[in-house]
Amino acid sequence: MPIDYSKWNHIEISDDEDDQHPNIDTASLNKWRHEARLQRMAEAKSEKEQLAKAHTENQQRLTAVREKLKDVDISKDALASQTLSELEKQEEAFKKKEEELLKKEKLTPWNVDTICHEGKSKTIINKAKPVESKPMTDEEKMTKQQDFTKQNKEKLKKFGMLRKYEDSERYLSDNPELACEETANFLVLWCIDLAVEEKEDLMAHVSHQTIVMQFILELAKNLKVDPRACVKAFFTRIRQAEKQYLTAFNDELSSFKLRVKERAEIRLENARKELEEEERNARLGPGGLDPIEVMESLPKEMQECFEAKDIGLLQKVVSEMDPKEAEYHIKRCVDSGMWVPGGGVDDDDEEGKVEEAAGGAEAEEGEDPYATLTD
């Protein structure tokens, strides 16, 4: 196949031209021409970059508007229809402008500053082999997490409070050590804490940053590279607003917030149980029984006696009960602290009579049968 040399037909070589007027300083003129050409090239590059940036932003707005209006009848919403129409017109204008710049670029003659530039390049980066390390125990993982959190707590919280993708990308680029599993763990626990405190809006915000970090980690896992190498790749892709990628991201975010709320409920329930257990242990009587549980298990007639703190009535109720049943209930009252043997002796010996009526072992063994009702 013959080689096409036509691209060499238009080359700007003014720097080497010697055919100048004898009264003109050739070196100065060529220097001026060179500087002017460099300025034109810089302006063309800047124009191209600004156009690309504006085009990308317009594409993102257009995608977002289409996503919001996919379930809306545009014919009945004049404002939505107008906004969509304007964005689509701008999209066409951007495409036309890019085509014009491309044509202009092709017609621009080559010069000494461009003729030797490489047309294509390929950079090969050797991937570091995964560090082979023995699996960490749960205790080692916990220690590592605690040390990392202690060293980076302020940075972690600042990242969790960021809102824009550009800010998050810049922050992770400045603090690459945050692109790791420990950051994701910290953010997850923070979200649960916020849910427990019923700070729903802040929890939802930090959840978004948590999924950002988890997506970076997942990308690194799939590519088998260090998560720090995937920061730019993730944010480039998420800003392109690909429908499939955005849908996966938003679905995971919604699921994560539900899981956080479920974990918060479990934590609250466990805390309630622990508090109830502490209160119960504090109530336990000398025999290890809970007075509330014992009270609820007593016959109604005995409950009324304790509520009224009426020892005489209790003596009467106990004397009318089956001796074994009465002894059983009185012993449980003693073990729970509701009935205190020897808690106070009156001349009429009413407390002792209750014990005797119940057939208590203390009376038979000659011990002090007297007792006092307690609150």
Side-chain angles (χ1 to χ4, degrees):
M1 183 177 179
I3 301 176
D4 182 12
Y5 292 97
S6 61
K7 62 182 179 181
W8 298 92
N9 292 338
H10 302 284
I11 303 177
E12 185 179 351
I13 54 174
S14 58
D15 291 1
D16 299 326
E17 291 180 355
D18 295 326
D19 188 14
Q20 307 289 353
H21 193 279
N23 295 332
I24 297 178
D25 183 0
T26 302
S28 299
L29 178 61
N30 287 339
K31 180 180 179 182
W32 175 83
R33 287 175 174 174
H34 185 211
E35 292 176 349
R37 183 169 63 247
L38 290 178
Q39 184 177 356
R40 291 196 302 272
M41 291 170 59
E43 291 174 351
K45 181 180 179 182
S46 177
E47 181 183 6
K48 184 176 181 181
E49 290 176 349
Q50 291 178 5
L51 179 63
K53 181 179 179 181
H55 191 184
T56 300
E57 292 176 353
N58 188 75
Q59 287 179 326
Q60 292 177 350
R61 290 196 299 269
L62 182 58
T63 301
V65 170
R66 285 174 174 169
E67 187 68 20
K68 290 180 180 179
L69 300 179
K70 63 181 182 179
D71 298 325
V72 178
D73 187 354
I74 299 180
S75 61
K76 296 181 181 179
D77 192 333
L79 179 59
S81 178
Q82 181 181 358
T83 302
L84 183 60
S85 177
E86 290 177 355
L87 290 174
E88 289 176 342
K89 289 179 180 179
Q90 291 176 12
E91 178 69 13
E92 293 298 324
F94 278 120
K95 290 181 179 179
K96 186 176 180 181
K97 183 65 176 177
E98 286 180 341
E99 291 176 358
E100 292 175 356
L101 281 179
L102 183 59
K103 291 180 181 178
K104 183 178 178 181
E105 188 176 315
K106 288 182 178 180
L107 294 174
T108 301
W110 286 10
N111 56 66
V112 69
D113 296 301
T114 58
I115 196 170
C116 295
H117 283 190
E118 60 185 3
K120 294 182 179 179
S121 65
K122 183 178 182 180
T123 302
I124 299 177
I125 301 177
N126 293 328
K127 296 182 180 178
K129 294 182 178 180
V131 179
E132 296 182 0
S133 58
K134 63 178 183 179
M136 299 176 64
T137 64
D138 291 341
E139 184 177 352
E140 290 172 336
K141 290 179 181 178
M142 183 177 296
T143 301
K144 182 180 179 182
Q145 181 70 51
Q146 290 174 346
D147 293 342
F148 180 84
T149 301
K150 184 178 181 180
Q151 296 172 7
N152 302 281
K153 190 171 185 178
E154 294 302 320
K155 292 181 179 180
L156 291 168
K157 286 199 169 186
K158 185 173 181 179
F159 174 75
M161 297 299 291
L162 296 176
R163 292 185 177 275
K164 297 181 180 179
Y165 287 129
E166 292 80 3
D167 295 337
S168 295
E169 180 180 7
R170 188 181 307 109
Y171 194 72
L172 289 178
S173 297
D174 294 338
N175 302 277
E177 69 277 8
L178 298 185
C180 62
E181 188 74 29
E182 286 71 29
T183 295
N185 294 338
F186 174 86
L187 295 175
V188 169
L189 293 175
W190 189 14
C191 287
I192 297 174
D193 290 340
L194 293 171
V196 170
E197 297 169 7
E198 297 184 350
K199 297 179 180 179
E200 295 292 332
D201 292 340
L202 185 55
M203 182 276 287
H205 178 74
V206 178
S207 293
H208 180 275
Q209 294 299 92
T210 306
I211 300 304
V212 166
M213 183 55 61
Q214 289 185 351
F215 263 58
I216 292 174
L217 295 174
E218 186 65 24
L219 182 60
K221 181 180 179 181
N222 293 336
L223 297 178
K224 297 181 180 179
V225 298
D226 192 297
R228 292 173 292 184
C230 296
V231 171
K232 186 175 181 62
F234 165 76
F235 286 106
T236 297
R237 189 169 185 182
I238 200 68
R239 281 198 298 267
Q240 290 175 351
E242 298 177 8
K243 184 176 181 181
Q244 184 176 2
Y245 200 67
L246 279 177
T247 299
F249 184 92
N250 291 328
D251 287 348
E252 180 58 26
L253 177 58
S254 298
S255 299
F256 175 75
K257 287 189 286 189
L258 289 176
R259 293 196 299 270
V260 166
K261 291 180 180 178
E262 291 174 357
R263 289 283 299 276
E265 285 297 325
I266 293 174
R267 183 186 290 183
L268 287 171
E269 181 63 25
N270 290 338
R272 284 192 289 266
K273 290 181 179 179
E274 290 178 3
L275 181 59
E276 290 174 357
E277 185 65 20
E278 290 177 1
E279 293 177 346
R280 181 180 182 278
N281 291 335
R283 292 194 305 264
L284 295 182
L289 297 184
D290 183 353
I292 293 180
E293 294 177 359
V294 172
M295 183 68 171
E296 293 175 349
S297 67
L298 293 176
K300 185 176 180 181
E301 295 80 4
M302 290 187 71
Q303 290 183 19
E304 293 175 351
C305 296
F306 278 96
E307 290 173 354
K309 299 182 181 179
D310 191 331
I311 297 177
L313 180 59
L314 179 60
Q315 176 189 352
K316 179 177 181 300
V317 170
V318 170
S319 64
E320 295 174 353
M321 295 176 63
D322 178 78
K324 290 186 178 181
E325 181 183 1
E327 182 180 1
Y328 167 76
H329 288 301
I330 290 298
K331 186 176 185 309
R332 283 172 55 80
C333 290
V334 172
D335 290 341
S336 67
M338 292 174 60
W339 181 268
V340 181
V345 182
D346 292 332
D347 293 339
D348 57 9
D349 201 20
E350 289 187 354
E351 287 98 339
K353 293 179 180 178
V354 173
E355 291 283 352
E356 292 174 355
E362 294 84 358
E364 294 177 0
E365 295 174 2
E367 298 179 0
D368 185 3
Y370 298 100
T372 300
L373 289 175
T374 61
D375 293 338

